Amino acid sequence: MPDMNSRLSIISVLLASLALFGCGGSGGGDSSTGPTAAITYSGVSVATAIDAANAEDLTTTSGEAVLQGADSSSSNVFGVAITDNSVDIETLSASLASAMASMSSPNLPAGFDMSGSCGGSVSIPDSQLNAFNATSGPASFTMTFTRYCDLSVGAQYTIDGQVVFNYDDIANNNSGFSLQYNGVTINDGSGPVTINMTVDCSNQSTCTIVSDYVGNDGSIYRISDISFTGDATTGFNGSATFFHPGYGSVSITASNVTYGSCGNFPDGGSIMASGTTGTAQIVFNSNCTYIIDYDDGAGDAGVINGSFI
């Protein structure tokens, strides 16, 4: 039998990270919404320089990235407030833990498929049952949720998608482990929240989060090393690494960035972007215009004015 205390404590750590850091999200839809395809960033992954050619693209899209990655009173999941959709992140954690505990049976049938108490199912493929039941050593398995609903955790909603578990040593809480959400959609009937995120931990207290999301222009972006405080009204402050699919990554620092008048784009505050060489600062205005000051570090500097509308 697997060490369930180890597993459940790891799940608690990983699911709590959703409330602290956020994950790729989208709203809308109804309770019949099924699995959502996983989103994977496939753009340029190396750090880039900032110059006149890319300063506007990098800074304007980083404005959307701050909203996607920011913590809004521990309830914002990439622009979708969990509490607004009545999806309690602790309930999600409990639901995953409950499913794992229920599946921890010495007599799991091949291709195990367990029904939820209020519908749907969760399954582990036959080829991965030995890994799921391992008592020590490395292990990797995938739980696939199909409109899974579990009333025992005190709320009714459905979960679709795949959660991939990887353990360096399944018996050791302080060994490395990761949890990967592949198109995991949580729906309480008022609208779905979709998670595409990897949480990678060297132990229970040291984790990094990488999240991929679809931007307003339809491109897939990535944000990592997320550290934000504040909210959309008073302003977000903090830093992250932002990946633009066409250029690569830059370090961003947000100062009092607010949202409300311009959709997913800021209506106040500023963001400083730093590349391998060069910097650019974008200042956002309440009428959805912006001013960018860039300096490529090699003698070319300038100002760019623009608008989100």
Side-chain angles (χ1 to χ4, degrees), residues 175-210:
S175 66
F177 56 91
S178 67
L179 188 62
Q180 181 178 346
Y181 302 85
N182 293 329
V184 176
T185 300
I186 310 155
N187 199 327
D188 71 338
S190 63
V193 174
T194 300
I195 301 169
N196 287 281
M197 181 176 73
T198 298
V199 184
D200 195 1
C201 302
S202 56
N203 54 55
Q204 287 197 60
S205 60
T206 306
C207 300
T208 59
I209 293 178
V210 174

Side-chain angles (χ1 to χ4, degrees), residues 49-309:
I50 296 176
D51 56 30
N54 63 17
E56 186 170 19
D57 285 343
L58 287 169
T59 54
T60 54
T61 51
S62 74
E64 189 177 15
V66 169
L67 178 62
Q68 297 295 319
D71 162 40
S72 177
S73 301
S74 297
S75 66
N76 183 285
V77 178
F78 268 15
V80 179
I82 287 295
T83 51
D84 286 353
N85 278 333
S86 303
V87 179
D88 187 334
I89 206 66
E90 293 182 359
T91 304
L92 173 58
S93 176
S95 185
L96 281 180
S98 173
M100 288 191 72
S102 298
M103 297 174 81
S104 182
S105 164
N107 299 309
L108 282 176
F112 178 69
D113 192 313
M114 184 184 75
S115 297
S117 62
C118 50
S121 64
V122 57
S123 63
I124 294 175
D126 184 21
S127 60
Q128 297 177 9
L129 289 179
N130 287 338
F132 178 80
N133 284 310
T135 57
S136 63
S140 178
F141 54 88
T142 300
M143 297 176 69
T144 299
F145 295 84
T146 304
R147 292 182 175 81
Y148 179 78
C149 178
D150 181 9
L151 287 176
S152 69
V153 298
Q156 183 168 350
Y157 55 87
T158 58
I159 303 174
D160 288 279
Q162 292 185 331
V163 183
V164 181
F165 297 82
N166 291 284
Y167 299 88
D168 289 349
D169 183 352
I170 200 167
N172 183 357
N173 287 2
N174 288 312
S175 66
F177 56 91
S178 67
L179 188 62
Q180 181 178 346
Y181 302 85
N182 293 329
V184 176
T185 300
I186 310 155
N187 199 327
D188 71 338
S190 63
V193 174
T194 300
I195 301 169
N196 287 281
M197 181 176 73
T198 298
V199 184
D200 195 1
C201 302
S202 56
N203 54 55
Q204 287 197 60
S205 60
T206 306
C207 300
T208 59
I209 293 178
V210 174
S211 183
D212 300 340
Y213 65 95
V214 179
N216 191 63
D217 60 1
S219 298
I220 297 176
Y221 296 87
R222 169 171 288 177
I223 189 166
S224 65
D225 307 317
I226 304 163
S227 178
F228 290 115
T229 59
D231 58 51
T233 301
T234 62
F236 291 115
N237 293 276
S239 61
T241 301
F242 168 62
F243 291 78
H244 187 288
Y247 300 110
S249 70
V250 292
S251 298
I252 59 173
T253 301
S255 299
N256 302 313
V257 176
T258 59
Y259 298 84
S261 301
C262 310
N264 287 339
F265 295 103
D267 61 7
S270 65
I271 296 174
M272 174 65 77
S274 300
T276 53
T277 58
T279 60
Q281 183 181 47
I282 183 169
V283 177
F284 305 100
N285 301 313
S286 59
N287 63 353
C288 304
T289 61
Y290 54 82
I291 302 173
I292 301 167
D293 283 285
Y294 70 88
D295 186 337
D296 70 357
D300 183 15
V303 177
I304 300 170
N305 292 275
S307 175
F308 292 121
I309 58 176

